[in-house]
Amino acid sequence: MDKRSLCLLVICIKMCLVIWLVSWQQPPLLESEMMAEAAALGGGSRGASSSSPPPPPASERRRGLKSGGSSGSGSGSNPNQITQPSRTHLSFNDSIVSNTFERPAAPPPQSLAPQTPTPPQSSMHLMDLPNFAYIIDQPPCEPRVQALVLVHSAIPNIEKRRIIRQTWAERSYIDRTPLRVIFLLGGVGAGAENWQHWVERESTLHGDIVQGNFDDAYRNMTYKHVMALKWFTENCAQAQLMVKVDDDVYINTPQLVKFLTDPTLPEHALLHQPELLLCRPVKKSRVKRTYRSKWRVTYKEYPHRFYPPYCPGLAIVYSPEVVRRLYAAAQKANYFWVDDVLITGVLTEATGTKITKLTYYLDTAAVRKLVQGGTDLDKPPFLFTSDGIRPDESLALWQMTVESNYTLTTPSSASASASFSSANISRSPSPTSRGIS
């Protein structure tokens, strides 16, 4: 072999080596998230083993995980829609909520076997999914629970869930309140089975994950929203409220407890209204038709120019009666992938449900002003922030709450004293003692 041929051979080998290395390179963000959770899970309790397997390969993440997180933060626009063959385009001449909608037989969704058996009272279909099941389930609510907070999250959002558990859903505080917090996930999807291992480990450690057997994909968000209504109806119907939030929203849980338990406050009566649907409504929202928009909707999917008034999914408060009504309507409705519009817009309008405007809210500018000391924590009081709140802002808000200690004392009223301790939360929460890094 002459020198020229030898040089060409060496160059080809080097190029193949470079291509191979690039194809197996780990995405740095997800890697850091998985390693952080691996450290937590490796040292956790409640059945978690002491050694943690390596995170899923990058190839599995690319194949199996489309963005299916919060309704305001997803980036995937063409997810694996497991029931697409059985979906019918919306025909608003016949009505999206037609009672005569027939669900054609659909192939079983690709998913793992349920980790916990579905409760016997649970129906086995979710909209047009005839064989819906929970991959991971949790026990029903205890009688003490007055408000169930259901957090819409995505499979890879480990860090967001960790921050929530370290701040407004801090376990040692939440367990002494009439609140319960659960994270809602879909399935990991074909080709990403290793992610299921991490979800199950997280669930074993924290006991706060409910997972359905539909792909956790952006255009499957309606399934997740209806699953929230379903789980509340079948497992927590005695509660006074269902609160649905995205995983990049901060809830002022001490203020929520105060409104729930202090009958002298006007907000107490508001939160106990039997017909409550509380949010910051969006009105006269034009339907996006451009191909550049991730919210693009075709005329076959929705023929009108504007959506009806609806609640953006970042923070919504439902009374039990409204949950049951919308869940029943959703089970008969044609599938539409913009979940906020379908459930709190189209179905709300069809069922005669009225939206109450939420005023206890901080936008991004107000959050940063508060964190920087420009305003007081309770002037005015707030229940939710806007979506997209940063981890450092969540931590700062919670630290301000702990230091002020003005609402961290559990209720002392006669009705609440039988169920809750009156001790204050520690001023220095120790999340690491519960296996959270």
Side-chain angles (χ1 to χ4, degrees), residues 345-365:
V346 175
L347 298 183
T348 294
E349 189 175 70
T351 58
T353 305
K354 304 299 182 183
I355 297 175
T356 301
K357 184 177 180 181
L358 172 70
T359 58
Y360 305 95
Y361 170 86
L362 293 183
D363 60 20
T364 302

Side-chain angles (χ1 to χ4, degrees), residues 83-311:
T83 59
Q84 185 63 33
S86 71
R87 291 180 186 167
T88 305
H89 286 304
L90 301 183
S91 173
F92 283 77
N93 293 329
D94 299 328
S95 172
I96 188 174
V97 293
S98 171
N99 290 334
T100 60
F101 174 68
E102 296 180 359
R103 299 173 182 82
Q110 296 180 356
S111 64
L112 302 176
Q115 174 179 300
T116 305
T118 303
Q121 76 275 18
S122 176
S123 64
M124 295 303 293
H125 88 269
L126 188 77
M127 301 191 73
D128 58 354
L129 296 181
N131 51 356
F132 169 78
Y134 294 108
I135 301 173
I136 298 175
D137 201 359
Q138 299 298 330
C141 292
E142 300 173 355
R144 71 171 181 86
V145 176
Q146 295 183 33
L148 175 65
V149 180
L150 295 172
V151 184
H152 282 212
S153 189
I155 298 290
N157 291 359
I158 297 171
E159 177 66 10
K160 290 182 178 180
R161 294 191 290 275
R162 184 184 71 84
I163 291 296
I164 289 174
R165 295 187 185 107
Q166 192 173 338
T167 56
W168 57 263
E170 205 270 345
R171 177 61 64 84
S172 66
Y173 171 64
I174 290 295
D175 285 350
R176 295 185 287 105
T177 71
L179 308 181
R180 186 180 182 186
V181 180
I182 286 179
F183 296 91
L184 300 181
L185 301 176
V188 298
E193 288 78 9
N194 278 358
W195 278 93
Q196 185 62 29
H197 166 77
W198 288 98
V199 173
E200 291 174 358
R201 292 286 298 276
E202 187 179 351
S203 176
T204 299
L205 179 62
H206 301 290
D208 59 4
I209 288 178
V210 168
Q211 184 183 25
N213 66 342
F214 50 86
D215 282 0
D216 200 282
Y218 196 55
R219 288 181 175 248
N220 283 346
M221 288 298 298
T222 297
Y223 288 137
K224 191 177 291 185
H225 202 147
V226 178
M227 183 175 74
L229 304 177
K230 175 184 179 70
W231 204 92
F232 180 90
T233 299
E234 297 174 344
N235 295 280
C236 206
Q238 87 285 349
Q240 293 292 324
L241 297 174
M242 186 191 100
V243 182
K244 181 266 182 191
V245 294
D246 290 339
D247 62 8
D248 55 355
V249 170
Y250 184 96
I251 302 181
N252 190 350
T253 46
Q255 191 66 55
L256 178 59
V257 171
K258 189 175 182 180
F259 287 166
L260 270 173
T261 57
D262 189 346
T264 65
L265 298 175
E267 294 83 4
H268 180 83
L270 170 68
L271 294 183
H272 286 75
Q273 289 181 4
E275 296 288 324
L276 182 66
L277 179 60
L278 182 67
C279 69
R280 291 175 61 84
V282 176
K283 299 180 179 180
K284 290 291 183 180
S285 176
R286 187 186 298 269
V287 180
K288 303 295 189 297
R289 305 294 187 188
T290 173
Y291 284 90
R292 295 191 301 271
S293 174
K294 69 178 182 180
W295 298 104
R296 179 180 181 271
V297 170
T298 67
Y299 284 97
K300 287 185 177 181
E301 291 175 314
Y302 192 89
H304 304 301
R305 187 178 180 185
F306 294 96
Y307 291 127
Y310 69 92
C311 295

